[in-house]
Amino acid sequence: MDPLSSLLGGIRAEGSVVSHAVLEAPWTIRFADRAPLTMISVLRGAGTLILSDGTRRAVGVGDTAIVRGPEPFRLADCPEDPHRPPVEYEIACFTPDVDCTAQDLGGIRWGNDPNGATALIAGAYRASGHRHERLLRALPPVLVVTEDTEVCDWLESAAADAASRSAGSQALMDRLLDWALVCTLRTWFDRAGADAPGWYRGLSDPVLAPALQAFHDRPSQGWTVSALAAESGVSRALFAKRFTAVMGRPPLTYLTECRMDEAEVLLSDTDLTIARIAENVGYADAFGFSAAFKRHRGMSPSALRAKSRVHEIHRPDSEPPLQRASRVK
């Protein structure tokens, strides 16, 4: 599995769909879920994203915005006009003790006007475990990708179809949002160029891609620089030089970082023994793995596992109800 697919596997739209909003100005939506990622696709109309630090980003028809959590943020049609009190909505169904039934809105489609000038689809993504954290570190606080308007027309049509059918509507919207998230992030990484993370740049490099794919497919194998170079069909010296230039670090440094990241996920999210985790990430024995892990993470594998267990006990309920929008009274 390639790195992006692996990282996206930790974030899904299961049961966390805000769904299809149709709005007429003035309006504002406050996203208060503290979700790791929130995605908003503007199908018609426009708005302004206002982050917690005051950063503003305009979005219009065809734009898909991904906002990195966990800080709350707002989307407003015209934040500069104090003389037009907006219809306000708050999306906060990941927080404890929040009523998300939205009796006055109802259904998978909501808003203040069924014929409103602005239509959008939004989803707050829940994280399953810790695998997503490396992806979040590679993203800016907000990114915006502009899509073809034909894609927006298709999305709105699919959302309207989901709203008209009770059977399977939630599953359909979940899959739509997952598809849109993957496409948006791939497009953004492709356009990021030198600002994209090294593992993504490497997958696009004709020399490095075969070796990276082989490593990520078989991370438990005892990889050496020579073995990776053989996967790419080039000399060891050429491979090492090319790898460092594109990825910003030597091959073995990258392999170790990936193995430590994977080990941290397995320690936090599974009950595998330390010996089994060592084997899974390419170490011959638990002792060598534990020494390497402590050197790179500043604590032993067992200490990190204990710390993650304490965090899980004090974390809010991770199974919230289906996400809905509620009107601010």
Side-chain angles (χ1 to χ4, degrees):
M1 182 181 295
D2 67 86
L4 182 58
S5 296
S6 176
L7 297 175
L8 286 170
I11 294 181
R12 296 298 297 272
E14 297 290 350
S16 53
V17 177
V18 176
S19 67
H20 185 195
V22 183
L23 304 158
E24 186 63 37
W27 53 266
T28 185
I29 305 170
R30 183 173 185 268
F31 293 82
D33 276 312
R34 307 186 74 84
L37 281 182
T38 301
M39 187 181 71
I40 302 165
S41 292
V42 182
L43 309 179
R44 288 184 280 118
T48 299
L49 286 165
I50 308 167
L51 305 189
S52 60
D53 64 358
T55 298
R56 298 190 175 204
R57 185 73 179 269
V59 290
V61 60
D63 286 343
T64 293
I66 295 179
V67 182
R68 190 186 68 201
E71 295 301 320
F73 65 97
R74 290 184 295 135
L75 177 66
D77 75 299
C78 187
E80 304 297 344
D81 191 346
H83 304 296
R84 297 190 307 156
V87 177
E88 293 185 302
Y89 300 95
E90 181 170 280
I91 296 164
C93 296
F94 286 4
T95 56
D97 305 320
V98 174
D99 179 10
C100 296
T101 57
Q103 298 92 339
D104 58 338
L105 300 174
I108 198 168
R109 179 170 172 163
W110 55 273
N112 60 359
D113 186 338
N115 300 309
T118 297
L120 55 91
I121 293 178
Y125 289 80
R126 287 188 292 179
S128 55
H130 296 76
R131 188 171 298 279
H132 69 287
E133 291 173 359
R134 189 178 178 203
L135 172 64
L136 297 186
R137 292 196 294 268
L139 300 178
V142 60
L143 64 90
V144 177
V145 171
T146 300
E147 303 288 355
D148 194 299
T149 55
E150 291 182 1
V151 175
C152 297
D153 293 341
W154 178 82
L155 270 175
E156 184 163 21
S157 175
D161 181 68
S164 66
R165 303 169 187 264
S166 58
S169 60
Q170 183 71 52
L172 175 58
M173 291 301 294
D174 284 346
R175 297 293 75 77
L176 278 173
L177 286 171
D178 283 337
W179 171 82
L181 177 67
V182 173
C183 291
T184 300
L185 286 177
R186 285 182 61 181
T187 300
W188 184 80
F189 280 133
D190 283 343
R191 296 175 182 174
D195 293 329
W199 50 262
Y200 194 84
R201 296 196 305 272
L203 290 170
S204 302
D205 186 273
V207 173
L208 303 185
L212 286 171
Q213 190 66 59
F215 166 68
H216 286 285
D217 283 343
R218 306 187 300 277
S220 61
Q221 188 169 319
W223 292 103
T224 63
V225 177
S226 295
L228 291 170
E231 291 287 339
S232 292
V234 297
S235 70
R236 182 185 184 281
L238 189 155
F239 180 83
K241 182 178 180 180
R242 178 85 169 190
F243 195 102
T244 303
V246 173
M247 306 285 283
R249 56 182 67 77
L252 295 185
T253 300
Y254 174 80
L255 265 60
T256 300
E257 290 173 355
C258 290
R259 285 169 167 159
M260 294 300 105
D261 286 340
E262 181 65 15
E264 190 166 338
V265 169
L266 294 175
L267 287 165
S268 301
D269 296 345
T270 76
D271 292 320
L272 292 175
T273 65
I274 291 175
R276 184 63 182 274
I277 292 173
E279 179 184 346
N280 285 352
V281 298
Y283 283 83
D285 57 71
F287 179 79
F289 162 68
S290 295
F293 190 89
K294 187 172 183 179
R295 184 166 61 251
H296 288 275
R297 289 295 190 264
M299 65 177 71
S300 67
S302 56
L304 184 135
R305 171 166 276 173
K307 181 180 178 181
S308 68
R309 294 292 188 266
V310 171
H311 176 74
E312 289 295 321
I313 292 172
H314 295 288
R315 193 176 67 176
D317 183 8
S318 60
E319 293 297 331
L322 297 184
Q323 184 160 324
R324 294 288 185 262
S326 55
R327 190 193 299 271
V328 176
K329 303 296 187 182

